[in-house]
Coordinates of all heavy atoms in Angstrom, one line a residue:
M1 N 17.0 -18.4 -75.1 CA 15.6 -18.1 -75.3 C 15.5 -16.7 -76.0 O 16.1 -15.7 -75.7 CB 15.0 -18.0 -73.9 CG 13.5 -17.6 -74.0 SD 12.7 -17.6 -72.4 CE 11.0 -17.5 -72.8
R2 N 14.8 -16.7 -77.1 CA 14.5 -15.5 -77.8 C 13.3 -14.8 -77.2 O 12.3 -15.3 -76.9 CB 14.1 -15.8 -79.3 CG 15.2 -16.2 -80.1 CD 14.8 -16.6 -81.5 NE 13.9 -15.7 -82.0 CZ 13.9 -15.1 -83.2 NH1 14.9 -15.4 -84.0 NH2 13.0 -14.3 -83.6
V3 N 13.5 -13.5 -77.0 CA 12.5 -12.6 -76.4 C 12.3 -11.4 -77.2 O 13.2 -11.0 -78.0 CB 12.9 -12.2 -74.9 CG1 12.8 -13.4 -74.0 CG2 14.3 -11.6 -74.8
K4 N 11.2 -10.8 -77.0 CA 10.9 -9.5 -77.8 C 10.3 -8.4 -76.8 O 9.3 -8.8 -76.0 CB 9.7 -9.9 -78.9 CG 9.4 -8.8 -79.8 CD 8.4 -9.3 -80.8 CE 8.0 -8.1 -81.8 NZ 7.1 -8.7 -82.8
C5 N 10.9 -7.3 -76.9 CA 10.5 -6.2 -76.1 C 9.1 -5.8 -76.4 O 8.7 -5.7 -77.6 CB 11.5 -5.0 -76.2 SG 11.0 -3.6 -75.3
V6 N 8.3 -5.5 -75.4 CA 6.8 -5.2 -75.7 C 6.7 -3.7 -76.1 O 5.6 -3.3 -76.6 CB 6.0 -5.4 -74.4 CG1 5.9 -6.9 -74.1 CG2 6.5 -4.6 -73.2
I7 N 7.7 -2.9 -75.9 CA 7.6 -1.5 -76.3 C 8.2 -1.2 -77.7 O 7.5 -0.7 -78.6 CB 8.3 -0.5 -75.3 CG1 7.5 -0.7 -73.9 CG2 8.3 0.9 -75.6 CD1 8.1 0.1 -72.8
C8 N 9.4 -1.6 -77.9 CA 10.1 -1.3 -79.2 C 10.2 -2.4 -80.1 O 10.7 -2.2 -81.2 CB 11.5 -0.7 -78.9 SG 12.7 -2.0 -78.1
D9 N 9.7 -3.6 -79.7 CA 9.7 -4.8 -80.6 C 11.1 -5.3 -81.0 O 11.3 -6.0 -81.9 CB 8.9 -4.6 -81.9 CG 7.4 -4.5 -81.5 OD1 6.9 -5.0 -80.5 OD2 6.7 -3.8 -82.4
E10 N 12.1 -4.9 -80.2 CA 13.5 -5.5 -80.4 C 13.5 -6.9 -79.9 O 13.1 -7.2 -78.8 CB 14.5 -4.6 -79.6 CG 16.0 -5.0 -79.7 CD 16.8 -4.2 -78.8 OE1 16.5 -3.0 -78.6 OE2 17.8 -4.7 -78.4
I11 N 14.2 -7.7 -80.8 CA 14.3 -9.1 -80.4 C 15.7 -9.3 -79.8 O 16.7 -8.9 -80.3 CB 14.2 -10.1 -81.7 CG1 12.7 -9.8 -82.2 CG2 14.4 -11.4 -81.4 CD1 12.4 -10.5 -83.5
G12 N 15.7 -10.0 -78.7 CA 17.0 -10.3 -78.1 C 17.1 -11.8 -77.5 O 16.2 -12.5 -77.8
Q13 N 18.2 -12.0 -77.0 CA 18.5 -13.4 -76.5 C 18.7 -13.4 -75.0 O 19.3 -12.5 -74.4 CB 19.8 -13.9 -77.1 CG 19.7 -14.4 -78.6 CD 18.8 -15.6 -78.7 OE1 17.8 -15.6 -79.2 NE2 19.4 -16.7 -78.2
L14 N 18.1 -14.3 -74.3 CA 18.4 -14.5 -72.9 C 18.9 -15.9 -72.7 O 18.4 -16.9 -73.4 CB 17.0 -14.5 -72.1 CG 16.4 -13.0 -71.9 CD1 15.1 -13.1 -71.1 CD2 17.4 -12.1 -71.1
P15 N 19.8 -16.1 -71.7 CA 20.2 -17.5 -71.4 C 19.1 -18.4 -71.0 O 18.2 -17.8 -70.2 CB 21.3 -17.3 -70.3 CG 21.7 -15.9 -70.3 CD 20.5 -15.1 -70.9
D16 N 19.0 -19.6 -71.4 CA 17.9 -20.4 -70.9 C 17.8 -20.6 -69.4 O 16.7 -20.9 -69.0 CB 18.1 -21.8 -71.6 CG 17.6 -21.6 -73.2 OD1 16.9 -20.8 -73.5 OD2 18.2 -22.5 -73.8
D17 N 19.0 -20.5 -68.8 CA 19.0 -20.8 -67.3 C 18.9 -19.5 -66.5 O 18.9 -19.5 -65.2 CB 20.1 -21.6 -66.9 CG 21.5 -20.9 -67.3 OD1 21.4 -19.9 -68.0 OD2 22.5 -21.3 -66.8
A18 N 18.6 -18.4 -67.2 CA 18.4 -17.1 -66.4 C 17.1 -17.1 -65.6 O 16.1 -17.6 -66.1 CB 18.5 -16.0 -67.3
P19 N 17.0 -16.4 -64.5 CA 15.7 -16.3 -63.7 C 14.6 -15.7 -64.6 O 13.6 -16.2 -64.4 CB 16.1 -15.6 -62.5 CG 17.7 -15.8 -62.4 CD 18.1 -15.9 -63.7
I20 N 14.9 -14.7 -65.3 CA 13.8 -14.1 -66.1 C 13.4 -15.0 -67.1 O 12.1 -14.9 -67.5 CB 14.3 -12.7 -66.6 CG1 13.1 -11.9 -67.1 CG2 15.3 -12.8 -67.6 CD1 13.3 -10.4 -67.2
A21 N 14.2 -15.8 -67.8 CA 13.8 -16.7 -68.8 C 12.8 -17.7 -68.2 O 11.7 -18.0 -68.9 CB 15.0 -17.4 -69.5
K22 N 13.0 -18.2 -67.0 CA 12.2 -19.2 -66.4 C 10.9 -18.5 -66.0 O 9.9 -19.1 -66.3 CB 12.8 -19.7 -65.0 CG 12.0 -20.7 -64.3 CD 12.8 -21.2 -63.1 CE 11.9 -22.3 -62.5 NZ 12.3 -22.7 -61.1
T23 N 10.8 -17.2 -65.6 CA 9.6 -16.6 -65.2 C 8.8 -16.4 -66.5 O 7.6 -16.5 -66.5 CB 10.0 -15.1 -64.7 OG1 10.8 -15.3 -63.5 CG2 8.7 -14.4 -64.2
L24 N 9.4 -15.9 -67.6 CA 8.7 -15.8 -68.9 C 8.1 -17.0 -69.4 O 7.0 -17.1 -69.9 CB 9.6 -15.1 -69.9 CG 10.0 -13.7 -69.6 CD1 11.1 -13.3 -70.6 CD2 8.8 -12.8 -69.6
R25 N 8.9 -18.3 -69.2 CA 8.3 -19.5 -69.6 C 7.2 -19.9 -68.8 O 6.1 -20.5 -69.3 CB 9.4 -20.5 -69.6 CG 10.2 -20.7 -70.8 CD 11.1 -22.0 -70.8 NE 11.9 -22.1 -69.6 CZ 13.1 -21.6 -69.4 NH1 13.7 -21.0 -70.3 NH2 13.7 -21.9 -68.2
N26 N 7.3 -19.8 -67.5 CA 6.3 -20.4 -66.6 C 5.0 -19.5 -66.3 O 4.0 -19.9 -66.0 CB 6.9 -20.7 -65.2 CG 7.9 -21.9 -65.4 OD1 7.8 -22.7 -66.2 ND2 8.9 -21.8 -64.5
R27 N 5.2 -18.2 -66.6 CA 4.1 -17.2 -66.4 C 4.0 -16.4 -67.6 O 4.5 -15.3 -67.8 CB 4.4 -16.3 -65.1 CG 4.5 -17.1 -63.8 CD 4.8 -16.2 -62.7 NE 5.0 -17.0 -61.5 CZ 6.0 -17.1 -60.9 NH1 7.1 -16.5 -61.4 NH2 6.2 -17.8 -59.8
P28 N 3.1 -16.8 -68.5 CA 3.0 -16.1 -69.8 C 2.5 -14.6 -69.7 O 2.7 -13.8 -70.6 CB 2.0 -17.0 -70.7 CG 1.8 -18.2 -69.9 CD 2.3 -18.0 -68.5
I29 N 1.9 -14.2 -68.6 CA 1.4 -12.9 -68.4 C 2.5 -11.9 -68.2 O 2.3 -10.7 -68.6 CB 0.3 -12.9 -67.2 CG1 -0.4 -11.5 -67.2 CG2 1.0 -13.1 -65.9 CD1 -1.7 -11.6 -68.0
H30 N 3.6 -12.4 -67.8 CA 4.8 -11.5 -67.5 C 5.4 -11.1 -68.9 O 5.3 -12.0 -69.9 CB 5.8 -12.2 -66.7 CG 5.4 -12.3 -65.2 ND1 6.3 -12.2 -64.2 CD2 4.3 -12.5 -64.7 CE1 5.6 -12.4 -63.1 NE2 4.4 -12.5 -63.3
T31 N 5.8 -9.9 -69.0 CA 6.3 -9.5 -70.3 C 7.8 -9.1 -70.1 O 8.3 -8.8 -69.1 CB 5.6 -8.3 -70.8 OG1 5.6 -7.3 -69.9 CG2 4.1 -8.8 -71.1
Y32 N 8.5 -9.0 -71.3 CA 9.9 -8.7 -71.3 C 10.1 -7.2 -71.8 O 9.5 -6.9 -72.8 CB 10.7 -9.6 -72.2 CG 12.1 -9.2 -72.4 CD1 13.1 -9.5 -71.5 CD2 12.5 -8.6 -73.6 CE1 14.4 -9.1 -71.6 CE2 13.8 -8.2 -73.9 CZ 14.8 -8.4 -72.8 OH 16.1 -8.1 -73.0
M33 N 10.9 -6.5 -71.2 CA 11.3 -5.1 -71.7 C 12.8 -5.1 -71.8 O 13.5 -5.5 -70.9 CB 10.8 -4.1 -70.7 CG 10.3 -2.8 -71.3 SD 9.6 -1.5 -70.2 CE 9.5 -2.3 -68.6
C34 N 13.3 -4.6 -72.9 CA 14.7 -4.6 -73.2 C 15.4 -3.5 -72.2 O 14.6 -2.6 -71.7 CB 15.1 -4.1 -74.5 SG 14.6 -2.5 -75.0
P35 N 16.7 -3.6 -71.9 CA 17.3 -2.7 -70.9 C 17.2 -1.3 -71.4 O 17.1 -0.4 -70.5 CB 18.8 -3.2 -71.0 CG 18.7 -4.6 -71.4 CD 17.6 -4.8 -72.3
T36 N 17.2 -0.9 -72.7 CA 17.1 0.4 -73.1 C 15.8 1.0 -72.7 O 15.7 2.1 -72.1 CB 17.3 0.5 -74.6 OG1 18.5 -0.1 -75.0 CG2 17.2 1.9 -75.2
C37 N 14.7 0.3 -72.9 CA 13.3 0.8 -72.6 C 13.2 0.8 -71.1 O 12.6 1.8 -70.6 CB 12.3 -0.2 -73.3 SG 12.2 0.0 -75.0
N38 N 13.7 -0.1 -70.4 CA 13.6 -0.2 -69.0 C 14.3 1.1 -68.3 O 13.7 1.7 -67.5 CB 14.2 -1.5 -68.4 CG 13.8 -1.7 -67.0 OD1 12.9 -1.1 -66.5 ND2 14.4 -2.7 -66.4
D39 N 15.5 1.4 -68.9 CA 16.2 2.5 -68.3 C 15.5 3.8 -68.7 O 15.4 4.8 -67.9 CB 17.6 2.6 -68.9 CG 18.5 1.5 -68.3 OD1 18.1 0.9 -67.3 OD2 19.5 1.2 -69.0
R40 N 14.9 4.0 -69.9 CA 14.2 5.2 -70.3 C 12.9 5.3 -69.4 O 12.6 6.5 -68.9 CB 13.8 5.1 -71.7 CG 13.1 6.3 -72.2 CD 12.9 6.1 -73.8 NE 12.4 4.9 -74.3 CZ 11.1 4.6 -74.4 NH1 10.2 5.4 -74.1 NH2 10.7 3.4 -74.8
I41 N 12.2 4.3 -69.2 CA 11.0 4.4 -68.4 C 11.4 4.7 -66.9 O 10.8 5.6 -66.2 CB 10.1 3.2 -68.4 CG1 9.5 3.0 -69.8 CG2 9.1 3.1 -67.3 CD1 8.8 1.8 -70.0
A42 N 12.5 4.2 -66.3 CA 12.9 4.5 -65.0 C 13.3 5.9 -64.8 O 13.0 6.6 -63.9 CB 14.1 3.6 -64.6
D43 N 14.1 6.5 -65.8 CA 14.4 7.8 -65.9 C 13.3 8.8 -65.9 O 13.2 9.9 -65.1 CB 15.3 8.2 -67.0 CG 16.7 7.5 -66.9 OD1 17.1 7.1 -65.8 OD2 17.4 7.4 -67.9
K44 N 12.3 8.5 -66.7 CA 11.1 9.3 -66.8 C 10.2 9.3 -65.5 O 9.7 10.3 -65.1 CB 10.2 9.0 -68.0 CG 10.9 9.3 -69.4 CD 10.0 9.1 -70.5 CE 10.7 9.6 -71.8 NZ 9.8 10.3 -72.7
T45 N 10.2 8.1 -64.9 CA 9.4 8.0 -63.7 C 10.1 8.8 -62.5 O 9.4 9.5 -61.7 CB 9.3 6.5 -63.3 OG1 8.7 5.8 -64.3 CG2 8.5 6.3 -62.0
I46 N 11.3 8.7 -62.5 CA 12.1 9.5 -61.4 C 11.9 10.9 -61.6 O 11.7 11.8 -60.7 CB 13.6 9.1 -61.4 CG1 13.8 7.7 -60.9 CG2 14.4 10.1 -60.7 CD1 15.2 7.2 -61.1
A47 N 11.8 11.4 -63.0 CA 11.7 12.8 -63.3 C 10.2 13.2 -62.9 O 10.0 14.3 -62.3 CB 11.8 13.2 -64.7
R48 N 9.2 12.3 -63.1 CA 7.8 12.7 -62.6 C 7.7 12.6 -61.1 O 7.0 13.6 -60.6 CB 6.9 11.6 -63.2 CG 6.6 11.8 -64.7 CD 5.7 10.8 -65.3 NE 4.7 10.2 -64.5 CZ 4.4 8.9 -64.5 NH1 5.0 8.1 -65.4 NH2 3.4 8.4 -63.6
I49 N 8.4 11.8 -60.4 CA 8.4 11.8 -59.0 C 9.0 13.2 -58.4 O 8.5 13.7 -57.5 CB 9.1 10.6 -58.4 CG1 8.3 9.3 -58.7 CG2 9.3 10.8 -56.9 CD1 9.0 8.1 -58.3
A50 N 10.1 13.6 -59.1 CA 10.6 14.9 -58.7 C 9.8 16.1 -58.9 O 10.0 17.1 -58.2 CB 12.0 15.1 -59.4
T51 N 8.8 16.0 -59.7 CA 7.9 17.2 -59.9 C 6.9 17.4 -58.8 O 6.5 18.5 -58.5 CB 7.0 17.1 -61.2 OG1 6.2 15.9 -61.0 CG2 7.9 16.9 -62.4
G52 N 6.7 16.4 -58.0 CA 5.8 16.4 -56.8 C 4.4 16.2 -57.2 O 3.4 16.1 -56.3
N53 N 4.0 16.0 -58.4 CA 2.7 15.7 -58.9 C 2.4 14.2 -59.0 O 1.3 13.9 -59.4 CB 2.4 16.4 -60.2 CG 2.4 17.9 -60.1 OD1 2.2 18.4 -59.1 ND2 2.8 18.5 -61.2
F54 N 3.4 13.4 -58.8 CA 3.2 12.0 -59.0 C 2.6 11.4 -57.6 O 3.1 11.7 -56.6 CB 4.6 11.3 -59.2 CG 4.6 9.9 -59.5 CD1 4.2 9.4 -60.7 CD2 5.0 8.9 -58.6 CE1 4.2 8.1 -61.1 CE2 4.9 7.6 -58.9 CZ 4.5 7.2 -60.1
V55 N 1.6 10.6 -57.8 CA 0.9 10.0 -56.6 C 1.1 8.4 -56.7 O 0.7 7.9 -57.8 CB -0.5 10.4 -56.7 CG1 -1.3 9.8 -55.4 CG2 -0.7 11.9 -56.6
F56 N 1.5 7.9 -55.6 CA 1.6 6.5 -55.5 C 0.2 5.9 -55.1 O -0.4 6.3 -54.1 CB 2.6 5.9 -54.5 CG 4.0 6.0 -54.9 CD1 4.9 7.0 -54.4 CD2 4.5 5.1 -55.9 CE1 6.2 7.1 -54.8 CE2 5.8 5.2 -56.2 CZ 6.7 6.2 -55.7
H57 N -0.3 5.0 -55.9 CA -1.6 4.5 -55.6 C -1.3 3.0 -55.1 O -0.9 2.1 -55.7 CB -2.5 4.3 -56.9 CG -2.9 5.6 -57.5 ND1 -3.8 6.3 -57.0 CD2 -2.4 6.3 -58.5 CE1 -4.0 7.5 -57.6 NE2 -3.1 7.5 -58.6
R58 N -1.6 2.8 -53.8 CA -1.3 1.7 -53.0 C -2.5 1.0 -52.6 O -3.5 1.6 -52.4 CB -0.4 1.9 -51.9 CG 1.0 2.5 -52.2 CD 1.9 2.7 -51.0 NE 3.0 3.3 -51.5 CZ 3.6 4.4 -50.9 NH1 3.1 4.8 -49.8 NH2 4.7 4.9 -51.2
S59 N -2.4 -0.3 -52.5 CA -3.6 -1.1 -52.0 C -3.5 -1.2 -50.5 O -2.6 -0.6 -49.9 CB -3.6 -2.5 -52.6 OG -2.5 -3.2 -52.1
S60 N -4.4 -1.9 -49.8 CA -4.5 -1.9 -48.5 C -3.7 -3.1 -47.9 O -4.0 -3.5 -46.7 CB -6.0 -1.9 -48.0 OG -6.5 -3.0 -48.5
H61 N -2.9 -3.7 -48.7 CA -2.2 -5.0 -48.3 C -1.1 -4.6 -47.2 O -0.6 -3.5 -47.3 CB -1.5 -5.6 -49.4 CG -2.5 -6.2 -50.4 ND1 -3.2 -7.3 -50.2 CD2 -2.7 -5.8 -51.7 CE1 -4.0 -7.5 -51.2 NE2 -3.7 -6.7 -52.2
S62 N -1.0 -5.4 -46.2 CA -0.1 -5.2 -45.1 C 1.4 -5.0 -45.6 O 2.1 -4.4 -45.0 CB -0.3 -6.2 -44.0 OG 0.1 -7.5 -44.5
I63 N 1.7 -5.8 -46.6 CA 3.1 -5.7 -47.2 C 3.4 -4.3 -47.7 O 4.5 -3.9 -47.6 CB 3.3 -6.7 -48.3 CG1 3.0 -8.2 -47.8 CG2 4.6 -6.6 -49.0 CD1 3.0 -9.2 -48.9
E64 N 2.5 -3.7 -48.3 CA 2.7 -2.4 -48.9 C 2.8 -1.2 -47.8 O 3.3 -0.2 -48.1 CB 1.7 -2.0 -49.9 CG 1.8 -2.9 -51.1 CD 0.9 -2.6 -52.3 OE1 0.2 -1.5 -52.1 OE2 0.9 -3.3 -53.2
K65 N 2.4 -1.5 -46.6 CA 2.5 -0.5 -45.5 C 4.0 -0.2 -45.2 O 4.3 0.9 -44.8 CB 1.8 -1.0 -44.3 CG 0.3 -0.9 -44.6 CD -0.5 -1.4 -43.3 CE -2.0 -1.3 -43.6 NZ -2.8 -1.8 -42.4
N66 N 4.8 -1.3 -45.4 CA 6.2 -1.1 -45.1 C 6.9 -0.4 -46.3 O 8.1 0.0 -46.2 CB 6.9 -2.4 -44.9 CG 6.4 -3.0 -43.6 OD1 6.0 -2.3 -42.7 ND2 6.4 -4.4 -43.6
F67 N 6.2 -0.3 -47.4 CA 6.8 0.3 -48.6 C 6.9 1.9 -48.3 O 7.8 2.6 -48.6 CB 6.0 0.0 -49.8 CG 6.5 0.5 -51.1 CD1 7.6 0.0 -51.7 CD2 5.9 1.6 -51.7 CE1 8.1 0.5 -52.9 CE2 6.3 2.1 -52.9 CZ 7.5 1.5 -53.5

């Protein structure tokens, strides 16, 4: 399956039987991010959390109370 990163527009290939490929086919609202962009955003988020100014906005769902 051909996929395109929503941030850098890099076109990549996913195996047709991969779980993320099935998710992208069945739920068009879900988007694909290449591993490079995903790692970059994860690193920047960790850096923002380390500053102490990052606030988690959580809903009142009972599942998120365990988070």
